[in-house]
Amino acid sequence: MSDISRLPGAFEQYWAWQLKGACRGVDSSLFFHPPGERGPVHDEREDVAKEICFHCPVRRECAQYALAARERYGVWGGLTEDERQDLVRRSRTAARERARR
């Protein structure tokens, strides 16, 4: 489950970006893998999803949302689950390094 405690609230100005997403109207199964999907089929589906994100006018907002909410599944803002986890991990490591100085 996503951690929504970090999110700004229910005000429209925080969420209106979603109306501009290139993924609106696209089958959401393209962005979320079915159970057991692996290998080339998984990679090809993710590549198609990321291509849609690449051309999206709200890609940055989407990625920021997914990172803030710690979205556990799917492609958000052109980032896969693993890519988001790596970014969070690197950010935490960098913060620890700064704190040690």
Side-chain angles (χ1 to χ4, degrees), residues 50-99:
K50 289 172 122 184
E51 182 67 21
I52 292 169
C53 294
F54 180 74
H55 299 286
C56 184
V58 292
R59 179 179 180 189
R60 178 176 289 177
E61 292 89 337
C62 185
Q64 288 172 340
Y65 157 77
L67 290 165
R70 302 289 196 262
E71 283 289 350
R72 294 177 59 186
Y73 304 104
V75 175
W76 291 84
L79 301 171
T80 65
E81 298 116 352
D82 293 338
E83 291 166 340
R84 290 191 307 275
Q85 287 176 354
D86 287 344
L87 285 173
V88 169
R89 194 175 303 117
R90 282 188 272 163
S91 177
R92 287 179 182 161
T93 300
R96 282 193 297 269
E97 290 297 321
R98 284 191 302 274

Side-chain angles (χ1 to χ4, degrees), residues 11-82:
F11 301 108
E12 179 187 355
Q13 68 265 27
Y14 296 123
W15 306 106
W17 61 267
Q18 293 179 357
L19 299 174
K20 300 174 187 170
C23 60
R24 281 185 64 85
V26 175
D27 185 353
S28 64
S29 66
L30 182 61
F31 298 90
F32 298 92
H33 66 81
E37 181 187 67
R38 293 188 178 29
V41 171
H42 176 270
D43 297 343
E44 289 170 16
R45 182 196 46 75
E46 275 189 350
D47 288 346
V48 172
K50 289 172 122 184
E51 182 67 21
I52 292 169
C53 294
F54 180 74
H55 299 286
C56 184
V58 292
R59 179 179 180 189
R60 178 176 289 177
E61 292 89 337
C62 185
Q64 288 172 340
Y65 157 77
L67 290 165
R70 302 289 196 262
E71 283 289 350
R72 294 177 59 186
Y73 304 104
V75 175
W76 291 84
L79 301 171
T80 65
E81 298 116 352
D82 293 338

